[in-house]
Amino acid sequence: MFKKVLAVLLAGTLLVGCCTACGTSEEEKQGAYQTFQDAAKTINESSGYVFSLFGSLTTEYNDNSSMQGISSRYTTKNQDGKQLVESYLSFSTTTQEPTSTILESDGTNYCVIDESGSSSSSADGTSTGNTVQELTQEQFQQMTGYGKIGTDFKAEDIKSVSTKNDEGNTSYEITLNRKNAVNLATWLMESISYIDTEQVPVDFDVDSLVCTVTVGENGEPKSFRYELETDMTAEGETLHAEYRVSYSIEQYGDEVQLEIPDLRSYLDANAAASTDGATE
């Protein structure tokens, strides 16, 4: 099973100011922790938000290495008690053609659209040139695990803090203790590799994990960044991974707008077209 997980990762199927760092006091740790948590809560609990994600994942397994680039423009909006989601997700590797998908949900229906796939039909019967797959809510949530800001660490897990001020923005670079970084490391890898550690137990040996939050003069979230280096072992096999990912917050709050098409009609039309094609 873990070999399949490794294959997913290796194939890319599936991111100027004055600085202080040394001798971090407990007060500085608590302050940086609270800033990070408050900024993440502002985004995660907002009625809507938009961010651009850019990351890079490097893996090494049995003397084989692979690097992939990951990018997404993710938009979500709470509307009439339902969460609308639209995410444009791209993967690129040094050995394979780039893949681009669109993940969409109207809060009831869920689908992934492969823009590099074969033709499908839209609700009005026109060809879209894409492959459409309907997902369960659980599958969709797993495939969009990167759509939240990860916060699973405590103030006492912090090893050191570095602060940086630049044109009214303040960045807090938080280095976690290796032994206390497993939960956040697990979320990071699950969010972009579709690993389910409940089904495939993975032992994380974290080398380093650094989280950075940048806020404006009034504490408004500007960006988040994670830098992880870890070994992952399961079923006697070990994969080394280095993951760097940044979230640039573009907009959040009630002003966020998102319109999702009639997914049910779209999915039904696509299913009908597939059935007709299979009987010809």
Side-chain angles (χ1 to χ4, degrees), residues 111-114 118 120-121 128 130-134 266-267 270:
C111 72
V112 57
I113 304 168
D114 184 351
S118 57
S120 63
S121 296
T128 65
N130 303 323
T131 298
V132 181
Q133 179 183 354
E134 185 170 6
Y266 182 37
L267 291 168
N270 183 70

Side-chain angles (χ1 to χ4, degrees), residues 23-45:
T24 306
S25 67
E26 293 303 315
E27 289 77 11
E28 289 173 313
K29 293 179 182 179
Q30 184 62 46
Y33 168 80
Q34 200 60 55
T35 299
F36 190 101
Q37 296 291 330
D38 289 347
K41 183 178 181 180
T42 296
I43 299 303
N44 289 338
E45 297 185 3

